[in-house]
Amino acid sequence: MGKELSSCDFHLHSHPDKILFRHLSNVGNKSISTSREKSLSLEKFGIDENIFSKISFLIGICHDFGKGTDYFQRYLFETDLAIQRSLKK
């Protein structure tokens, strides 16, 4: 599921060297492929595999929303270790 990135997508990071949008997109897509690779026998529970894959994608893209907060971004790029430790508590 490719989406063209805009300039506002590039200021949030999931890791110091990773753009949050790309990370969430990658995890969402990996969630789809993993759900399709597994033999989960979802039909016996009345769950459609395509719907399950879409739900897996949503879970994947939502799993790190907290990293988009000002708090986390400050923590991620704080260079003073004492301040960074205090933010972690």
Coordinates of all heavy atoms in Angstrom, one line a residue:
M1 N 0.8 -1.2 0.0 CA 0.0 0.0 0.0 C 0.9 1.2 0.0 O 1.3 1.7 1.0 CB -0.9 0.0 1.2 CG -1.9 -1.1 1.3 SD -3.2 -0.8 2.5 CE -4.4 -1.9 1.9
G2 N 1.2 1.7 -1.2 CA 2.1 2.8 -1.3 C 1.4 4.1 -1.2 O 0.3 4.3 -1.8
K3 N 1.9 5.1 -0.5 CA 1.3 6.4 -0.5 C 2.5 7.4 -0.7 O 3.6 7.3 -0.2 CB 0.7 6.7 0.9 CG 0.2 8.1 1.1 CD -0.3 8.3 2.5 CE -0.7 9.7 2.8 NZ 0.3 10.6 3.1
E4 N 2.2 8.4 -1.5 CA 3.2 9.4 -1.7 C 3.3 10.3 -0.4 O 2.3 10.7 0.2 CB 2.8 10.3 -2.8 CG 3.9 11.2 -3.3 CD 3.8 11.7 -4.7 OE1 3.2 10.9 -5.5 OE2 4.2 12.8 -5.0
L5 N 4.6 10.5 0.0 CA 4.8 11.2 1.2 C 4.8 12.7 1.0 O 5.2 13.2 -0.1 CB 6.2 10.8 1.8 CG 6.4 9.4 2.1 CD1 7.8 9.1 2.7 CD2 5.4 8.9 3.2
S6 N 4.3 13.4 2.0 CA 4.3 14.9 1.9 C 5.4 15.4 2.9 O 5.9 14.6 3.7 CB 3.0 15.5 2.3 OG 2.7 15.3 3.6
S7 N 5.7 16.7 2.8 CA 6.8 17.2 3.7 C 6.5 17.0 5.2 O 7.4 16.9 6.0 CB 7.0 18.6 3.4 OG 5.9 19.4 3.6
C8 N 5.2 17.0 5.6 CA 4.8 16.9 7.0 C 5.1 15.5 7.5 O 5.1 15.3 8.7 CB 3.4 17.4 7.2 SG 2.1 16.3 6.5
D9 N 5.2 14.5 6.6 CA 5.4 13.1 7.1 C 6.9 12.9 7.5 O 7.2 11.9 8.1 CB 5.1 12.1 5.9 CG 3.7 12.2 5.5 OD1 2.8 12.2 6.4 OD2 3.4 12.1 4.3
F10 N 7.8 13.8 7.3 CA 9.2 13.6 7.5 C 9.7 14.1 8.8 O 10.9 13.9 9.1 CB 10.0 14.1 6.3 CG 9.8 13.4 5.1 CD1 9.0 13.8 4.1 CD2 10.4 12.1 4.9 CE1 8.8 13.1 2.9 CE2 10.3 11.4 3.8 CZ 9.4 11.9 2.8
H11 N 9.0 14.8 9.6 CA 9.5 15.4 10.8 C 9.3 14.5 12.0 O 10.0 14.7 13.0 CB 9.0 16.8 11.1 CG 7.6 16.8 11.6 ND1 6.5 16.7 10.7 CD2 7.1 17.0 12.8 CE1 5.4 16.8 11.4 NE2 5.7 17.0 12.7
L12 N 8.5 13.5 11.9 CA 8.3 12.5 13.0 C 9.1 11.2 12.8 O 9.2 10.7 11.7 CB 6.8 12.2 13.1 CG 5.9 13.3 13.5 CD1 4.4 12.8 13.5 CD2 6.2 13.9 14.8
H13 N 9.8 10.8 13.8 CA 10.6 9.6 13.7 C 10.2 8.5 14.7 O 9.7 8.8 15.8 CB 12.1 10.0 14.0 CG 12.7 10.8 13.0 ND1 12.5 12.1 12.8 CD2 13.6 10.4 12.0 CE1 13.2 12.6 11.8 NE2 13.9 11.6 11.3
S14 N 10.3 7.2 14.3 CA 10.1 6.1 15.2 C 11.3 5.7 15.9 O 11.3 5.2 17.0 CB 9.5 4.9 14.4 OG 10.5 4.5 13.4
H15 N 12.5 5.9 15.2 CA 13.8 5.7 15.7 C 14.7 6.8 15.2 O 14.3 7.5 14.3 CB 14.3 4.3 15.2 CG 13.4 3.2 15.5 ND1 12.3 2.9 14.8 CD2 13.5 2.3 16.5 CE1 11.7 1.8 15.3 NE2 12.4 1.4 16.3
P16 N 15.8 7.1 15.8 CA 16.6 8.2 15.3 C 16.8 8.2 13.8 O 16.9 9.3 13.2 CB 17.9 8.1 16.1 CG 17.5 7.3 17.3 CD 16.5 6.4 16.9
D17 N 16.9 7.1 13.2 CA 17.3 7.0 11.8 C 16.1 6.6 10.9 O 16.2 6.3 9.8 CB 18.4 6.1 11.6 CG 18.1 4.6 12.0 OD1 17.2 4.5 12.9 OD2 18.8 3.7 11.6
K18 N 14.9 6.5 11.5 CA 13.7 6.0 10.8 C 12.5 7.0 10.8 O 12.1 7.5 11.9 CB 13.2 4.7 11.3 CG 14.1 3.5 11.0 CD 13.4 2.3 11.5 CE 14.3 1.1 11.3 NZ 13.8 -0.1 11.9
I19 N 12.0 7.3 9.7 CA 10.8 8.2 9.6 C 9.6 7.3 10.1 O 9.4 6.2 9.7 CB 10.5 8.6 8.2 CG1 11.7 9.5 7.6 CG2 9.2 9.4 8.0 CD1 12.0 10.7 8.4
L20 N 8.8 7.9 11.0 CA 7.6 7.2 11.6 C 6.7 6.7 10.5 O 6.2 5.6 10.6 CB 6.9 8.1 12.6 CG 5.7 7.5 13.3 CD1 6.1 6.3 14.1 CD2 5.1 8.5 14.2
F21 N 6.3 7.5 9.6 CA 5.4 7.1 8.5 C 5.9 5.9 7.8 O 5.1 4.9 7.6 CB 5.2 8.3 7.5 CG 4.3 7.9 6.4 CD1 2.9 8.1 6.5 CD2 4.7 7.3 5.2 CE1 2.0 7.7 5.5 CE2 3.9 6.9 4.2 CZ 2.5 7.1 4.3
R22 N 7.2 5.9 7.4 CA 7.7 4.7 6.7 C 7.7 3.5 7.6 O 7.4 2.4 7.2 CB 9.2 5.0 6.3 CG 9.3 5.9 5.2 CD 9.7 5.1 3.9 NE 10.0 6.1 2.9 CZ 9.3 6.2 1.8 NH1 8.2 5.5 1.6 NH2 9.6 7.1 0.9
H23 N 8.1 3.6 8.9 CA 8.1 2.5 9.8 C 6.7 1.9 10.0 O 6.5 0.7 9.9 CB 8.6 3.0 11.2 CG 8.4 2.0 12.3 ND1 9.1 0.8 12.4 CD2 7.6 2.1 13.4 CE1 8.7 0.2 13.5 NE2 7.8 0.9 14.1
L24 N 5.7 2.8 10.2 CA 4.3 2.3 10.4 C 3.8 1.6 9.1 O 3.2 0.5 9.2 CB 3.4 3.4 10.8 CG 3.7 4.0 12.1 CD1 2.7 5.2 12.4 CD2 3.6 3.0 13.3
S25 N 4.1 2.2 8.0 CA 3.7 1.6 6.7 C 4.4 0.2 6.5 O 3.7 -0.7 6.1 CB 4.1 2.5 5.5 OG 3.7 2.0 4.3
N26 N 5.7 0.1 6.8 CA 6.4 -1.1 6.7 C 5.8 -2.2 7.6 O 5.6 -3.4 7.2 CB 7.9 -1.0 6.9 CG 8.6 -0.2 5.8 OD1 8.1 -0.1 4.7 ND2 9.7 0.3 6.2
V27 N 5.5 -1.8 8.8 CA 4.9 -2.8 9.8 C 3.5 -3.2 9.3 O 3.2 -4.4 9.4 CB 4.9 -2.2 11.2 CG1 4.2 -3.1 12.2 CG2 6.4 -2.0 11.7
G28 N 2.8 -2.3 8.8 CA 1.4 -2.6 8.3 C 1.5 -3.6 7.2 O 0.7 -4.6 7.2
N29 N 2.4 -3.3 6.2 CA 2.5 -4.2 5.1 C 3.0 -5.6 5.5 O 2.6 -6.6 5.0 CB 3.4 -3.6 4.0 CG 2.7 -2.5 3.3 OD1 1.5 -2.5 3.1 ND2 3.4 -1.4 3.0
K30 N 4.0 -5.6 6.5 CA 4.5 -6.9 7.0 C 3.4 -7.7 7.7 O 3.3 -8.9 7.6 CB 5.7 -6.6 7.9 CG 6.3 -7.9 8.5 CD 7.0 -8.7 7.4 CE 7.7 -9.9 8.0 NZ 8.1 -10.9 7.0
S31 N 2.5 -6.9 8.4 CA 1.4 -7.6 9.1 C 0.5 -8.3 8.1 O 0.0 -9.4 8.3 CB 0.6 -6.6 9.9 OG 1.4 -6.0 10.9
I32 N 0.2 -7.6 6.9 CA -0.6 -8.3 5.9 C 0.1 -9.5 5.4 O -0.5 -10.6 5.3 CB -0.8 -7.3 4.7 CG1 -1.8 -6.2 5.1 CG2 -1.4 -8.0 3.5 CD1 -2.0 -5.1 4.1
S33 N 1.3 -9.4 5.0 CA 2.0 -10.6 4.5 C 2.1 -11.7 5.5 O 1.9 -12.9 5.1 CB 3.4 -10.2 3.9 OG 4.3 -9.7 4.9
T34 N 2.4 -11.4 6.7 CA 2.5 -12.4 7.8 C 1.1 -13.1 8.0 O 1.1 -14.3 8.1 CB 3.0 -11.8 9.1 OG1 4.3 -11.3 8.9 CG2 3.1 -12.9 10.2
S35 N 0.1 -12.3 8.0 CA -1.3 -12.9 8.2 C -1.6 -13.8 7.1 O -2.3 -14.8 7.3 CB -2.3 -11.8 8.4 OG -2.6 -11.2 7.2
R36 N -1.2 -13.5 5.9 CA -1.5 -14.3 4.7 C -0.6 -15.6 4.6 O -1.0 -16.6 4.1 CB -1.4 -13.5 3.4 CG -2.5 -12.5 3.3 CD -2.4 -11.7 2.0 NE -3.6 -10.8 2.0 CZ -3.7 -9.8 1.2 NH1 -2.7 -9.5 0.4 NH2 -4.7 -9.0 1.2
E37 N 0.6 -15.5 5.2 CA 1.5 -16.7 5.2 C 1.1 -17.8 6.2 O 1.4 -18.9 6.0 CB 2.9 -16.2 5.5 CG 3.6 -15.4 4.4 CD 4.9 -14.7 4.9 OE1 5.3 -15.0 6.0 OE2 5.4 -14.0 4.1
K38 N 0.4 -17.4 7.2 CA 0.0 -18.3 8.3 C -1.2 -19.1 7.9 O -2.1 -18.6 7.3 CB -0.2 -17.6 9.6 CG 1.0 -16.7 10.1 CD 2.1 -17.6 10.5 CE 3.3 -16.7 10.9 NZ 4.5 -17.5 11.2
S39 N -1.3 -20.3 8.4 CA -2.5 -21.1 8.2 C -3.3 -21.0 9.5 O -3.1 -21.8 10.4 CB -2.1 -22.6 7.9 OG -1.4 -22.6 6.7
L40 N -4.1 -20.0 9.6 CA -4.8 -19.8 10.8 C -6.2 -20.4 10.9 O -6.8 -20.3 12.0 CB -4.9 -18.2 11.0 CG -3.6 -17.5 11.1 CD1 -3.8 -16.0 11.1 CD2 -2.8 -17.9 12.3
S41 N -6.7 -21.0 9.8 CA -8.0 -21.6 9.8 C -9.1 -20.7 10.4 O -9.9 -21.1 11.2 CB -8.0 -22.9 10.7 OG -7.0 -23.8 10.2
L42 N -9.1 -19.5 9.9 CA -10.0 -18.5 10.3 C -11.5 -18.8 10.0 O -12.4 -18.3 10.6 CB -9.6 -17.1 9.8 CG -8.2 -16.6 10.3 CD1 -7.8 -15.4 9.5 CD2 -8.2 -16.4 11.8
E43 N -11.6 -19.5 8.9 CA -13.0 -19.8 8.4 C -13.8 -20.5 9.4 O -15.0 -20.2 9.5 CB -13.0 -20.6 7.1 CG -12.2 -20.0 5.9 CD -10.7 -20.1 6.0 OE1 -10.2 -21.1 6.6 OE2 -10.0 -19.3 5.5
K44 N -13.2 -21.4 10.2 CA -14.0 -22.1 11.2 C -14.5 -21.2 12.3 O -15.4 -21.6 13.1 CB -13.2 -23.3 11.7 CG -12.0 -23.0 12.6 CD -11.4 -24.3 13.0 CE -10.1 -24.0 13.8 NZ -9.4 -25.2 14.1
F45 N -14.0 -20.0 12.4 CA -14.5 -19.0 13.4 C -15.3 -17.9 12.7 O -15.7 -16.9 13.3 CB -13.3 -18.3 14.1 CG -12.4 -19.3 14.8 CD1 -11.2 -19.6 14.4 CD2 -12.9 -19.9 16.0 CE1 -10.4 -20.5 15.1 CE2 -12.1 -20.8 16.7 CZ -10.8 -21.1 16.2
G46 N -15.6 -18.1 11.4 CA -16.4 -17.2 10.7 C -15.7 -15.9 10.3 O -16.3 -14.9 10.1
I47 N -14.4 -15.9 10.2 CA -13.6 -14.7 9.9 C -13.0 -14.8 8.5 O -12.3 -15.8 8.2 CB -12.4 -14.6 10.9 CG1 -13.0 -14.5 12.4 CG2 -11.6 -13.4 10.6 CD1 -11.9 -14.6 13.5
D48 N -13.3 -13.9 7.7 CA -12.8 -13.8 6.3 C -11.3 -13.4 6.4 O -10.9 -12.5 7.0 CB -13.6 -12.7 5.6 CG -13.2 -12.6 4.2 OD1 -13.6 -13.4 3.3 OD2 -12.4 -11.7 3.9
E49 N -10.5 -14.2 5.6 CA -9.1 -13.9 5.6 C -8.7 -12.6 5.1 O -7.8 -11.9 5.6 CB -8.4 -15.0 4.8 CG -8.3 -16.3 5.5 CD -7.5 -17.4 4.7 OE1 -6.5 -17.0 4.0 OE2 -7.8 -18.6 4.9
N50 N -9.4 -12.0 4.1 CA -9.2 -10.7 3.6 C -9.4 -9.6 4.6 O -8.7 -8.7 4.8 CB -9.9 -10.4 2.3 CG -9.4 -11.2 1.1 OD1 -8.2 -11.5 1.0 ND2 -10.3 -11.7 0.3
I51 N -10.5 -9.8 5.3 CA -10.8 -8.8 6.4 C -9.8 -8.9 7.5 O -9.3 -7.9 8.0 CB -12.3 -9.1 7.0 CG1 -13.3 -8.7 5.9 CG2 -12.5 -8.3 8.2 CD1 -14.7 -9.0 6.2
F52 N -9.4 -10.1 7.8 CA -8.4 -10.3 8.9 C -7.1 -9.6 8.4 O -6.4 -9.0 9.2 CB -8.1 -11.8 9.1 CG -7.2 -12.0 10.2 CD1 -7.5 -11.9 11.6 CD2 -5.8 -12.4 10.0 CE1 -6.6 -12.1 12.6 CE2 -4.9 -12.6 11.0 CZ -5.3 -12.5 12.3
S53 N -6.7 -9.7 7.2 CA -5.5 -9.1 6.7 C -5.6 -7.6 6.8 O -4.6 -6.9 7.2 CB -5.2 -9.5 5.2 OG -4.8 -10.8 5.1
K54 N -6.8 -7.0 6.5 CA -7.0 -5.6 6.6 C -6.9 -5.2 8.1 O -6.3 -4.1 8.4 CB -8.3 -5.2 6.0 CG -8.3 -5.3 4.5 CD -9.7 -5.0 3.9 CE -9.7 -5.2 2.4 NZ -11.0 -4.9 1.8
I55 N -7.4 -6.0 9.0 CA -7.3 -5.7 10.4 C -5.9 -5.7 10.9 O -5.4 -4.9 11.6 CB -8.2 -6.6 11.2 CG1 -9.7 -6.3 10.9 CG2 -7.9 -6.5 12.7 CD1 -10.7 -7.4 11.5
S56 N -5.2 -6.7 10.4 CA -3.7 -6.8 10.7 C -3.0 -5.6 10.3 O -2.1 -5.1 11.0 CB -3.1 -8.1 10.0 OG -3.7 -9.2 10.5
F57 N -3.3 -5.1 9.1 CA -2.6 -3.9 8.6 C -2.9 -2.7 9.5 O -2.0 -2.0 9.9 CB -3.1 -3.6 7.1 CG -2.6 -2.3 6.6 CD1 -1.3 -2.2 6.1 CD2 -3.4 -1.1 6.6 CE1 -0.8 -1.0 5.6 CE2 -2.9 0.1 6.1 CZ -1.6 0.1 5.6
L58 N -4.2 -2.6 9.9 CA -4.6 -1.5 10.8 C -3.8 -1.5 12.1 O -3.3 -0.5 12.6 CB -6.1 -1.4 11.0 CG -6.9 -1.0 9.8 CD1 -8.4 -1.2 10.1 CD2 -6.6 0.4 9.4
I59 N -3.7 -2.7 12.6 CA -3.0 -2.9 13.9 C -1.5 -2.5 13.7 O -0.9 -1.8 14.5 CB -3.1 -4.4 14.4 CG1 -4.5 -4.6 14.9 CG2 -2.1 -4.6 15.5 CD1 -4.9 -6.1 15.1
G60 N -0.9 -3.0 12.6 CA 0.4 -2.7 12.3 C 0.7 -1.2 12.2 O 1.7 -0.7 12.7
I61 N -0.2 -0.5 11.5 CA 0.1 1.0 11.3 C -0.2 1.8 12.5 O 0.2 2.9 12.6 CB -0.6 1.6 10.0 CG1 -2.2 1.5 10.2 CG2 -0.2 0.9 8.8 CD1 -2.9 2.3 9.1
C62 N -1.0 1.2 13.4 CA -1.4 2.0 14.7 C -0.5 1.6 15.9 O -0.5 2.3 16.9 CB -2.8 1.7 15.0 SG -4.0 2.3 13.9
H63 N 0.4 0.6 15.8 CA 1.0 0.1 16.9 C 2.0 1.1 17.6 O 2.3 1.0 18.8 CB 1.8 -1.2 16.6 CG 3.2 -1.0 16.1 ND1 3.4 -0.6 14.8 CD2 4.4 -1.1 16.7 CE1 4.7 -0.5 14.6 NE2 5.3 -0.8 15.7
D64 N 2.5 2.1 16.9 CA 3.4 3.1 17.4 C 2.9 4.5 17.3 O 3.7 5.5 17.3 CB 4.8 3.0 16.7 CG 5.8 2.0 17.4 OD1 5.5 1.6 18.5 OD2 6.8 1.7 16.7
F65 N 1.6 4.7 17.4 CA 1.1 6.1 17.3 C 1.7 7.0 18.4 O 1.9 8.2 18.2 CB -0.4 6.1 17.4 CG -1.1 6.0 16.1 CD1 -0.5 5.8 14.9 CD2 -2.5 6.1 16.1 CE1 -1.1 5.6 13.7 CE2 -3.2 6.0 14.9 CZ -2.5 5.7 13.7
G66 N 2.0 6.4 19.5 CA 2.6 7.2 20.6 C 3.9 7.9 20.3 O 4.3 8.9 20.9
K67 N 4.6 7.3 19.3 CA 5.9 7.9 18.9 C 5.7 9.2 18.1 O 6.6 9.9 17.9 CB 6.7 6.8 18.1 CG 7.2 5.7 18.9 CD 8.0 4.8 18.2 CE 8.6 3.7 19.1 NZ 9.5 2.8 18.4
G68 N 4.5 9.5 17.8 CA 4.2 10.7 17.1 C 4.0 11.9 18.0 O 3.8 13.0 17.6
T69 N 4.1 11.7 19.3 CA 3.8 12.8 20.3 C 5.1 13.6 20.4 O 6.2 13.2 20.2 CB 3.5 12.2 21.7 OG1 4.6 11.4 22.2 CG2 2.2 11.3 21.6
D70 N 4.9 14.9 20.8 CA 6.0 15.8 21.1 C 6.9 15.2 22.2 O 8.1 15.3 22.1 CB 5.5 17.1 21.5 CG 4.9 17.9 20.4 OD1 5.1 17.6 19.2 OD2 4.1 18.8 20.7
Y71 N 6.3 14.6 23.2 CA 7.0 14.0 24.3 C 8.0 12.9 23.8 O 9.2 13.0 24.1 CB 6.1 13.3 25.3 CG 6.8 12.6 26.4 CD1 7.2 13.3 27.5 CD2 7.0 11.2 26.3 CE1 7.8 12.7 28.6 CE2 7.7 10.6 27.4 CZ 8.1 11.3 28.5 OH 8.7 10.7 29.5
F72 N 7.6 12.0 22.9 CA 8.5 10.9 22.5 C 9.5 11.5 21.5 O 10.7 11.1 21.6 CB 7.7 9.8 21.7 CG 8.6 8.7 21.3 CD1 9.1 7.8 22.2 CD2 9.1 8.7 20.0 CE1 10.0 6.8 21.8 CE2 10.0 7.7 19.6 CZ 10.4 6.7 20.5
Q73 N 9.2 12.4 20.7 CA 10.1 13.0 19.8 C 11.2 13.8 20.5 O 12.4 13.7 20.2 CB 9.4 14.0 18.8 CG 8.5 13.2 17.8 CD 9.2 12.2 16.9 OE1 10.1 12.5 16.2 NE2 8.7 11.0 17.0
R74 N 10.8 14.4 21.6 CA 11.9 15.1 22.5 C 12.8 14.0 23.1 O 14.0 14.2 23.1 CB 11.2 15.9 23.5 CG 12.2 16.6 24.4 CD 11.5 17.6 25.4 NE 12.5 18.1 26.3 CZ 12.3 18.3 27.6 NH1 11.2 18.1 28.1 NH2 13.3 18.8 28.3
Y75 N 12.2 13.0 23.6 CA 12.9 11.9 24.2 C 13.9 11.3 23.2 O 15.1 11.1 23.5 CB 12.0 10.8 24.8 CG 12.7 9.5 25.1 CD1 13.5 9.4 26.2 CD2 12.6 8.5 24.2 CE1 14.2 8.2 26.5 CE2 13.3 7.3 24.4 CZ 14.1 7.1 25.6 OH 14.8 6.0 25.8
L76 N 13.4 11.0 22.0 CA 14.2 10.4 21.0 C 15.5 11.2 20.6 O 16.5 10.6 20.4 CB 13.4 10.1 19.8 CG 13.9 9.2 18.7 CD1 14.1 7.8 19.3 CD2 12.9 9.1 17.5
F77 N 15.3 12.5 20.6 CA 16.4 13.3 20.1 C 17.1 14.1 21.2 O 18.0 14.9 20.9 CB 16.0 14.2 19.0 CG 15.6 13.5 17.7 CD1 14.3 13.2 17.4 CD2 16.6 12.9 17.0 CE1 14.0 12.5 16.3 CE2 16.3 12.1 15.8 CZ 15.0 11.9 15.5
E78 N 16.8 13.9 22.4 CA 17.5 14.6 23.5 C 18.9 14.1 23.6 O 19.2 12.9 23.7 CB 16.7 14.3 24.9 CG 17.3 15.0 26.1 CD 17.4 16.5 25.9 OE1 16.3 17.1 25.7 OE2 18.5 17.0 26.0
T79 N 19.8 15.1 23.7 CA 21.2 14.7 23.7 C 21.8 14.7 25.1 O 22.8 14.1 25.4 CB 22.1 15.7 22.9 OG1 21.8 17.0 23.3 CG2 21.7 15.6 21.4
D80 N 21.1 15.3 26.1 CA 21.5 15.3 27.5 C 20.9 14.0 28.1 O 19.7 13.8 28.2 CB 21.0 16.5 28.2 CG 21.4 16.6 29.6 OD1 21.4 15.6 30.3 OD2 21.7 17.8 30.1
L81 N 21.9 13.1 28.4 CA 21.4 11.8 29.0 C 20.6 11.9 30.2 O 19.7 11.1 30.4 CB 22.6 10.9 29.1 CG 23.3 10.4 27.8 CD1 24.5 9.6 28.2 CD2 22.4 9.7 26.9
A82 N 20.9 12.8 31.1 CA 20.2 13.0 32.3 C 18.7 13.4 32.0 O 17.8 12.9 32.6 CB 20.8 14.0 33.2
I83 N 18.5 14.3 31.1 CA 17.2 14.7 30.7 C 16.5 13.5 30.0 O 15.3 13.3 30.3 CB 17.2 16.0 29.8 CG1 17.7 17.2 30.6 CG2 15.9 16.2 29.2 CD1 18.0 18.4 29.7
Q84 N 17.2 12.8 29.2 CA 16.6 11.7 28.5 C 16.1 10.6 29.5 O 15.0 10.1 29.3 CB 17.6 11.1 27.5 CG 16.9 10.1 26.5 CD 17.8 9.4 25.6 OE1 18.9 9.0 26.0 NE2 17.5 9.5 24.3
R85 N 17.0 10.4 30.5 CA 16.6 9.4 31.5 C 15.3 9.9 32.3 O 14.5 9.1 32.6 CB 17.7 9.1 32.5 CG 18.7 8.1 32.0 CD 19.6 7.6 33.1 NE 20.5 8.7 33.6 CZ 21.6 9.1 33.1 NH1 22.1 8.5 32.0 NH2 22.3 10.1 33.6
S86 N 15.3 11.2 32.6 CA 14.1 11.7 33.3 C 12.9 11.6 32.5 O 11.8 11.4 33.0 CB 14.4 13.1 33.8 OG 14.3 14.0 32.7
L87 N 13.0 11.7 31.2 CA 11.8 11.6 30.3 C 11.4 10.2 30.2 O 10.2 9.9 29.9 CB 12.2 12.1 28.9 CG 12.4 13.6 28.7 CD1 13.0 14.0 27.4 CD2 11.1 14.4 29.0
K88 N 12.3 9.2 30.4 CA 11.9 7.8 30.3 C 11.1 7.3 31.4 O 10.3 6.4 31.3 CB 13.2 7.0 30.1 CG 13.0 5.6 29.6 CD 14.3 5.0 29.3 CE 14.1 3.6 28.7 NZ 15.4 3.0 28.3
K89 N 11.2 8.0 32.6 CA 10.5 7.6 33.8 C 9.0 7.9 33.7 O 8.5 8.8 33.2 CB 11.1 8.3 35.0 CG 12.5 7.8 35.3 CD 13.0 8.4 36.5 CE 14.5 8.0 36.7 NZ 15.1 8.5 37.8

